[in-house]
Amino acid sequence: MKKVLSVILVLLFALTACGTQDKEEAKPTPEKTKAEEGTNAAKDSEAKKELTAEDQKFTTLMVEKKYETVLTDTITLKTEEQKNFYYLASAFIKNDEIQAKSYVDPTTNEMDLNAAKTDYSVVVNYLNRAKYVPGEIKAEVDELRKVSEEKAAYYMEELEKQAAK
């Protein structure tokens, strides 16, 4: 009985060791991951050199600041291009909402720092999800990203100061 138990334990140990080794081999190395990312980025940039009629249409709408139209036309998120323009339009729409919104509570006259930080973080998140930005609106997108990141960081600092009190 002891021999059978010993054999089972040895087999179990051997199988566990083999299983662990397979999992470790399946993990990509940092070098492999970076190489794959570089390849994907190159493919994306090559694919974007040839703009489709749909890309041109959405780019024109973005230049004309018709974000709601872009949003309605890309809501299905069927293609990567539609996803990109959906995220870009969503970021600009959210920014417009932020500009029209007051974060000051009228009853206490205190600023809702958490809401402001969250809203700016949403804009940054949308912009980060877009993999392609048309050259016609690149400067505008970069400026929006910069301002939104700065504002989100500022409100985060203010929240941390408030929490430390």
Side-chain angles (χ1 to χ4, degrees):
M1 181 69 169
K2 288 183 181 180
K3 289 182 181 181
V4 172
L5 186 57
S6 298
V7 169
I8 291 174
L9 286 175
V10 168
L11 287 174
L12 184 61
F13 178 76
L15 290 173
T16 305
C18 291
T20 305
Q21 184 180 11
D22 289 344
K23 287 181 184 176
E24 290 174 355
E25 289 175 359
K27 291 181 184 176
T29 62
E31 295 82 15
K32 185 177 179 182
T33 304
K34 286 180 185 176
E36 288 174 355
E37 287 173 357
T39 304
N40 289 341
K43 286 180 185 175
D44 285 348
S45 65
E46 288 173 6
K48 296 304 173 194
K49 289 181 184 177
E50 294 292 325
L51 296 178
T52 65
E54 187 179 47
D55 292 334
Q56 289 295 344
K57 171 187 158 190
F58 293 140
T59 300
T60 303
L61 289 170
M62 292 292 293
V63 168
E64 295 172 353
K65 301 187 184 315
K66 295 182 179 178
Y67 307 126
E68 292 292 335
T69 306
V70 173
L71 210 58
T72 351
D73 291 350
T74 60
I75 197 80
T76 59
L77 303 176
K78 287 182 181 176
T79 65
E80 280 301 313
E81 291 79 14
Q82 286 182 353
K83 288 178 186 177
N84 284 324
F85 285 102
Y86 177 85
Y87 296 139
L88 292 170
S90 295
F92 282 101
I93 288 170
K94 186 65 176 178
N95 185 56
D96 290 346
E97 290 173 7
I98 291 170
Q99 302 311 312
K101 188 175 182 180
S102 173
Y103 292 100
V104 177
D105 184 357
T107 58
T108 62
N109 281 339
E110 289 186 20
M111 178 120 179
D112 187 355
L113 299 172
N114 196 40
K117 179 199 70 88
T118 302
D119 285 348
Y120 281 107
S121 296
V122 167
V123 172
V124 171
N125 186 30
Y126 277 134
L127 293 174
N128 287 341
R129 293 179 92 183
K131 295 178 183 170
Y132 167 72
V133 178
E136 295 88 342
I137 61 169
K138 182 147 181 54
E140 194 175 357
V141 169
D142 289 344
E143 181 64 22
L144 178 60
R145 181 188 319 272
K146 178 183 168 203
V147 169
S148 297
E149 286 174 345
E150 288 172 355
K151 296 263 186 170
Y154 169 77
Y155 289 122
M156 186 64 191
E157 288 175 18
E158 291 298 312
L159 280 169
E160 290 170 356
K161 287 179 188 175
Q162 201 175 53
K165 289 181 183 179

